[in-house]
Amino acid sequence: MSESHPLVVLARRAIEHFVRDGERIEPPDELPGDLGRRAGAFVTIRRQGMLRGCIGTTEPTCSTVAEEVIRNAISAATRDHRFRPVATGELESLDVKVDVLSEMELVEGPGQLDPKRYGLLVQSEIDPRKRGLLLPDLEGIDTVEDQVHWTRYHKAGITDPDEPVQMYRFEVMRYT
């Protein structure tokens, strides 16, 4: 098995330390590569192949990607409302993935989307609080129609097909 990317190692350390000790770790003093830049990031946790938590930011909220990953890793493990917080006994069986997002790019329509290459953010033009995001290259999301449907209806909760929306695409660097 190959060695994990430094962001994945950092996310795992953040989760383990917080679950065991209730404390947030600090990012390393030396940030290799582009870990010192600013970007939105998602941390996804799986256990036995099943989703166990996923939290992220579409735009940077911290001064570095490393800080963004620490914050989102802890949130994915403890604050994803769909799951109970990760317990100490689960730590060894967790798989952690980190997605670092590119800047959002407004799209004119579905013709500019590709669910394997681009993630999608959909936001209501009537109520900006109604917004949803779907990461790219997810199992079961094979067509643009699937991507738009899941993001609009299930993630953003925009059920009126006539409600005007804005759509943004983005790419990710995925680390496992």
Side-chain angles (χ1 to χ4, degrees):
M1 186 170 153
S2 64
E3 191 172 315
S4 294
H5 187 273
L7 281 176
V8 175
V9 172
L10 184 63
R12 179 174 287 286
R13 271 190 43 233
I15 292 165
E16 290 175 355
H17 189 75
F18 192 86
V19 169
R20 286 191 177 120
D21 302 322
E23 297 174 349
R24 186 175 165 203
I25 64 170
E26 293 297 323
D29 291 333
E30 297 291 321
L31 298 173
D34 62 355
L35 273 62
R37 71 183 179 99
R38 297 186 75 221
F42 274 74
V43 176
T44 303
I45 303 169
R46 293 190 172 276
R47 183 169 184 246
Q48 299 172 340
M50 302 295 292
L51 184 64
R52 185 64 183 82
C54 182
I55 297 282
T57 48
T58 58
E59 297 174 359
T61 61
C62 299
S63 59
T64 66
V65 171
E67 291 176 57
E68 201 85 30
V69 167
I70 290 168
R71 177 180 286 169
N72 293 338
I74 292 169
S75 292
T78 63
R79 295 187 191 107
D80 187 326
H81 69 276
R82 299 169 292 181
F83 306 97
R84 68 188 184 336
V86 168
T88 306
E90 296 178 274
L91 291 173
E92 295 302 317
S93 62
L94 299 179
D95 292 315
V96 178
K97 174 179 72 175
V98 175
D99 290 311
V100 178
L101 281 61
S102 69
E103 289 189 31
M104 297 285 163
E105 181 181 5
L106 183 64
V107 296
E108 299 299 319
Q112 294 178 298
L113 300 173
D114 175 348
K116 297 299 178 195
R117 178 177 177 188
Y118 298 111
L120 176 64
L121 178 111
V122 173
Q123 181 170 326
S124 168
E125 291 183 8
I126 296 170
D127 181 358
R129 295 172 299 171
K130 291 167 73 175
R131 64 189 296 201
L133 179 137
L134 201 64
L135 293 168
D137 200 22
L138 296 177
E139 186 177 330
I141 306 295
D142 300 315
T143 66
V144 170
E145 292 77 18
D146 290 342
Q147 183 183 39
V148 171
H149 174 81
W150 273 95
T151 310
R152 181 183 178 106
Y153 293 94
H154 298 283
K155 294 290 193 161
I158 302 169
T159 56
D160 178 355
D162 297 323
E163 185 168 342
V165 297
Q166 288 184 319
M167 295 191 298
Y168 299 86
R169 71 182 185 184
F170 59 92
E171 293 181 281
V172 301
M173 291 297 299
R174 182 162 285 159
Y175 303 105
T176 56

